[in-house]
Amino acid sequence: MEPDRAVLACRVLEADDGTEGWCRRCGCAGRPRDTVARELAHEPLGWRPTTLLVTIRRYRCTGCGHVWRQDTSRAAEPRARLSRRGLAWVLEAAVCQPLSIARVAQGLRVAWNTANDAVLAEGRRVLINHPGRLNGVKVIGVDEHVWRHTRRGTSTSP
């Protein structure tokens, strides 16, 4: 814990199916090579930005030399900057509370573009692409449509 942020140190446990130490290319056993740390912005504790510092083991295949990392897909999408819980917090903060993207970015201690991209992607995944989002809808209407833009304002007549 620091005055302006919290860091949670985590590590990935072995996979339940026992495939973690085996090469997907040739099927040989892999040897632990080293570890790397991955930082993920996470749901804030109060309003203190929180970072997950995930320690990930890397393996090298004894047969073909291929190198791979432990699977972290349960914590975050590949190459993502936010944890899955951080994504849920971003969407809830922007849609339900509603906070500005700048405030959401400040709460996660990430750049504005990172927070905005996360809101758009998670909103598209959870809200727009939801198969039942239009259940019960019979009519969709458009209000206050502007037909023509002019230099002296807009006109709503055709």
Side-chain angles (χ1 to χ4, degrees):
M1 293 292 269
E2 297 174 11
D4 61 336
R5 73 181 191 141
V7 178
L8 302 175
C10 309
R11 65 183 176 94
V12 179
L13 298 176
E14 294 289 329
D16 292 337
D17 57 2
T19 61
E20 187 166 296
W22 297 92
C23 181
R24 292 186 184 114
R25 288 186 178 174
C26 70
C28 289
R31 275 191 297 170
R33 176 181 172 186
D34 59 1
T35 58
V36 293
R38 181 176 179 192
E39 289 188 13
L40 298 169
H42 191 60
E43 176 183 25
L45 295 172
W47 277 106
R48 180 176 288 157
T50 304
T51 302
L52 291 182
L53 184 63
V54 184
T55 303
I56 304 165
R57 182 179 287 162
R58 289 197 310 179
Y59 294 94
R60 178 183 294 276
C61 179
T62 56
C64 67
H66 175 66
V67 176
W68 69 93
R69 295 179 181 194
Q70 285 179 304
D71 181 27
T72 59
S73 61
R74 293 179 70 186
E77 291 290 327
R79 296 180 186 85
R81 299 277 302 136
L82 277 69
S83 69
R84 292 195 185 277
R85 186 61 204 138
L87 279 174
W89 182 85
V90 163
L91 190 60
E92 181 182 331
V95 174
C96 299
Q97 290 182 2
L99 296 178
S100 68
I101 299 299
R103 184 64 177 109
V104 169
Q106 183 183 20
L108 291 174
R109 200 175 188 175
V110 297
W112 185 90
N113 289 334
T114 303
N116 187 53
D117 292 346
V119 167
L120 293 175
E122 190 67 3
R124 195 174 299 117
R125 187 185 73 79
V126 173
L127 303 174
I128 294 174
N129 293 340
H130 189 275
R133 75 182 179 101
L134 296 177
N135 289 351
V137 175
K138 294 183 172 57
V139 177
I140 296 177
V142 178
D143 292 337
E144 299 175 13
H145 181 76
V146 175
W147 291 98
R148 169 176 45 132
H149 296 279
T150 65
R151 290 182 186 216
R152 296 185 196 106
T154 57
S155 174
T156 57
S157 60

